[in-house]
Each structure stands twice: as C-alpha cells, then as structure tokens.
Amino acid sequence: MNDYYLLGRSGLRVSRLALGTMNFGVSGFHAAYGKTEREAEPIFRRYLDGGGNFIDTADFYTAGESETILGRLIASAGVRDRVVLTSKFTNTVDPADPNAAGNGRKHVIRALDATLRRLGTDYVDLYLLHTWDRITPVEEVVRTFDDLVRAGKIRYAGLSDVPAWYAARAQSLAEAHALTPMINLQLPYSLVNRGIEAEYPAMAQSLGIGLTAWSPIGGGLLSGKYRRTGDGLAGDGRLGGGGAQQIAERDWAVIDALEKVAAELGRSMAQVAVNWVATQPAVGSVIIGASSAEQLDANLGALDFTIPAELRERLEQAGAPEPGGPYAMFTPGYQSWIVSPGLGIGDKPAGYAPPIWNGAAPAA
C-alpha cells in the first residue's frame, strides 16, 4: 500500500485505506470489543509496515483511551511526522456539563486541548466535527476551525456524519470568506448502506471534499462470518448470538451476490466489499478496523485487484437503492427520457481532465 492521493481539494497525501482505532482501549462505550495497548500495538505496527499513513481516532472512542494508546504507540514508533493523524469532537465528555458536548466554540477548543494532551502532540493533522448537533450555527464551526488552523493546533478541517446541505453550507462559507476549507467528510458507506449516493458524492466532487467511508463491511455483516438461520443470523462475531440480529431481505441478496463474486475473484468477501467502496465516486479513503494484525493484513490486500465491470454490476444491482422523492428525476434514465430525449449529453468529453499520477502505475 504505497500509493497516496490528495484528500479533497488539498495537498494532504493519504493512504486509500485508513486505520480506524475505535477499538483501541477497553473503557467506555466501545469497551465490549476493545483491545488493550498490548493487543493494539501489532495492529498499529502492521498498518505502518504496510505503507499506511492515515490514522483515525476520536475523543469519544473508549472514553479517550483510544487517543492515549495511539499517542504512546506513535511516540514509541517515532512516526509522528510520517502519519496523518485525525481526531474528532462533538460527543459528550461530561454529561453534567451542557457545554462539554456539541459543536460550539467553547467545547471545540476544550476538546482539542484534551485530545492533544492524550495524544502527546501539539497538533493534529485533520480535525473533524464528529456529528451534527442540529443547533450550533455552521458559521461558528467554520470560524472556529479557521482560528485553530491559524493557531497551529490543527492543519486541516473536516466533517463527519452531517447532512449534505450542512457540508455544502460550511464549504461555501469558507470559500466566500477565505477561511479554512473542509477537505474531508466521513460517512458510513457499504454495499448494504448506500444512502449517501443520492446527494453526497456529487456534492463532494463539486466542492472539493474527499469522502472517507466508515463501516465498509456493514459492521461485519459483509465479512463472510455470518450465515442465515431460520431466526435471523448466526456466526462467530459481534452480530451473531442466537439469531438475535434480523437482516432485511435486500441485505441477504447483497450478501449472496457478494459471496458469489468473491468466490469468482478468489478473494474474501471483506476484501471485495472494501474494494467496491474504495473505488466508488468521490471516495478518497476507506476506514478499516481490525481485531488482530492478521485480520488487518487481509484487509490491506483489498486494493490489490480490480472488480471487473460485469461483477461490479452484479454487486450493485443486488442492493441498488430506489431513489425517492425528486432524486428519481436526476437519474440518467429519466433525463434521457424527459430532459434530453434522443440526445447524448455529457458534461465534458473523456480525457478533458485526466488524473495526474507521479510514480509507478497506480493500483486498481
């Protein structure tokens, strides 16, 4: 994994596979599947050895323990300048304090200072709003990001899990007032969770924001660990357990198609699922997690092959979302029927702006 691409409309070069560290630590909300520092270190080292440089955490992960462990691992490996370190704010760090959560300036500044202490560094490369809180003015968020960049505490700014209109508003404000732009937007995206396709890719491409996909294997559903039972789902993983998990028929259709495609390609279901997400429009990077170095090693091979067009079509048709509301009118089929019947209309001819590549031939 020695290919790197610019994230959004920036000069920041990142791996196409990012390391998620939500399971680094055994405290708080994510403790049920957390890893001790000793267990996390081989995962971290394997990612670096594989050429990865894009690492994702948040103050909320394992009640801050993820950041603490990650900071020690980075210091021990001596790679602070090499890695692109990302953290996030929004979720509460003190339920008794109304200003210890959300996206207001008071909380953001305090959250970042605490994050820097836990990480043992004086800056983060990319700082993200973790979740839209529905009430903080977007102008305040954008201005706070700009102040933090000017103070040298963060290098770049971005968003996670916000409405498309909110991301567009933030970016437009930044552009109009020459403030720090948003270069990244994290969103859940997988073959069984394709809700972002109606709005986000086109918005991101238009406004210079690189999408980073989290949960590319559907929380483990597309990993190949699980099988259908009369009661639901069973398997050796977090989603298993006596068939308690109910899965929609559409999702089972995706799982069946993915299993067949993976078999034809001689790849694991997880590798094919990650590859599909990573090669979707506007996706700059995919966040992968792992419970062991061996599992991570398998995931790092997800971009070493190309999914042929015919097999890709089978995957996409199995779980194709049905556009609702006005979105059906934006499809190629509708537009060729109503907007420009009998004509071939495109934005630009092929080759108008071919990608720039420095180095050996890039991976698929």
Side-chain angles (χ1 to χ4, degrees), residues 16-17 185 187-194 196-197 201 211-219 222 254 258 269-288 302-303 305 307 312 315-316 364:
R16 294 179 72 197
L17 297 178
L185 173 57
L187 295 167
Y189 192 26
S190 72
L191 281 163
V192 291
N193 187 355
R194 296 171 58 183
I196 74 168
E197 291 179 359
L211 299 185
T212 301
W214 59 267
S215 196
I217 57 173
L222 303 176
V254 172
L258 177 61
M269 290 173 62
Q271 285 179 326
V272 175
V274 171
N275 184 297
W276 180 85
V277 173
T279 51
Q280 284 294 97
V283 174
S285 189
V286 177
I287 300 174
I288 56 173
L303 300 183
F305 63 98
I307 303 175
R312 192 179 193 92
L315 288 174
E316 295 181 355

Side-chain angles (χ1 to χ4, degrees), residues 202-213:
M203 180 276 297
Q205 289 174 318
S206 176
L207 297 180
I209 301 173
L211 299 185
T212 301

